[in-house]
Amino acid sequence: MAVGEITLVHKFDDHNLSERSLITAVHTLDHNTLMFGSFPSGIHLVDVRQPRGIVHRGQLPKAPSAAQATPLCIASQSHRGDEFLVCGRFPSVLLYDIRKGFGACRSVYSGATSLSCLTMGSRDRVIAGGSYKGTKFTSVSANRRPGNH
Amino acid sequence: MWRKFPTEWKEVGEIRGLGGRESFRLSQTNSNGLSAAHATAQLGYNNAMSVGPGFLYFGAGRILEQVVRAPLLTRRERLT
């Protein structure tokens, strides 16, 4: 039960589109910055100090055969205020730097069909969980340096 | 869908899809004190919530909302 003052931050108003956006992941980057992901493949940056809320938005990269790249989890490290990680219904963990926008990102391929959650295991290690060809697995540990698994 | 009751766990409904609907209650503060509100929202994603000191953000369906915790009343305020 939530007790307090409720404020609307954002509402998708896309009734006419064939694919309606749905919020799938939310992450607070710092006390002024909020990230959230949306179906089918949206990523959004919110500055809570701004009246309009969303200040930048983008689309996660999709494979040509994939209908969606829905983000399911966003995570970051406290000492890296400009970077965040995204995983979801795609096989890679994506690393974004907000200073460079959402047009480019680095990625670590996990081999999984879909990743539903991730967390920072240590300073340079990510732990993600998801499914691999229908089999659930609990963790995949990946060094954050690109190319390492 | 399972819920914990005082004496046992019970299955209260089948999960028919990932994009289900669930009702929850919100208590909001107003000038007259606390008032209860009942809301129905579409839930389906485990990580569509972020909690911070005194606030939380949660996304349900097409809506993203912020809840700021009401300030705790002091003992004197509660008594008056």
Side-chain angles (χ1 to χ4, degrees):
Chain A
M1 180 176 71
V3 179
E5 181 180 344
I6 299 176
T7 304
L8 178 67
V9 177
H10 179 72
K11 180 180 180 181
F12 283 108
D13 185 18
D14 49 6
H15 298 277
N16 297 325
L17 297 180
S18 59
E19 285 185 326
R20 294 172 59 181
S21 298
L22 297 173
I23 295 172
T24 56
V26 179
H27 179 71
T28 304
L29 209 57
D30 58 46
H31 58 279
N32 292 322
T33 311
L34 185 69
M35 305 293 309
F36 73 92
S38 65
F39 171 87
S41 57
I43 189 74
H44 311 267
L45 171 65
V46 177
D47 185 341
V48 297
R49 300 166 297 182
Q50 303 296 327
R52 57 193 174 102
I54 293 180
V55 295
H56 188 46
R57 63 183 78 202
Q59 297 291 319
L60 299 183
K62 285 189 289 186
S65 58
Q68 57 170 284
T70 304
L72 296 178
C73 187
I74 303 171
S76 64
Q77 284 186 315
S78 57
H79 66 280
R80 294 177 182 266
D82 299 318
E83 294 183 339
F84 64 94
L85 295 154
V86 183
C87 75
R89 294 187 180 129
F90 42 90
S92 299
V93 176
L94 307 177
L95 174 64
Y96 282 91
D97 187 329
I98 294 179
R99 295 167 297 181
K100 299 178 182 177
F102 296 147
C105 63
R106 293 186 290 172
S107 65
V108 175
Y109 179 70
S110 71
T113 305
S114 175
L115 295 169
S116 58
C117 58
L118 68 91
T119 186
M120 304 305 302
S122 64
R123 192 180 182 89
D124 292 312
R125 195 165 294 272
V126 174
I127 301 175
S131 64
Y132 177 74
K133 293 183 179 179
T135 301
K136 302 292 187 292
F137 64 91
T138 56
S139 67
V140 168
S141 181
N143 191 301
R144 283 190 60 212
R145 296 189 184 88
N148 291 338
H149 295 273
Chain B
M1 191 182 303
W2 289 79
R3 288 290 181 269
K4 185 177 182 181
F5 289 90
T7 57
E8 62 180 335
W9 281 89
K10 287 183 183 179
E11 187 173 17
V12 295
E14 295 179 8
I15 299 176
R16 298 187 184 277
L18 292 177
R21 287 189 176 272
E22 184 167 346
S23 296
F24 58 94
R25 290 189 177 276
L26 298 176
S27 291
Q28 296 176 255
T29 55
N30 56 26
S31 58
N32 296 323
L34 289 177
S35 63
H38 185 248
T40 298
Q42 179 177 344
L43 304 178
Y45 300 97
N46 296 327
N47 294 312
M49 182 180 293
S50 179
V51 181
F55 66 89
L56 73 89
Y57 293 95
F58 68 93
R62 293 179 293 118
I63 295 174
L64 176 65
E65 291 183 317
Q66 177 197 48
V67 179
V68 176
R69 185 178 65 190
L72 294 176
L73 297 177
T74 62
R75 181 178 175 83
R76 175 175 296 180
E77 290 170 329
R78 289 200 301 269
L79 293 176
T80 56

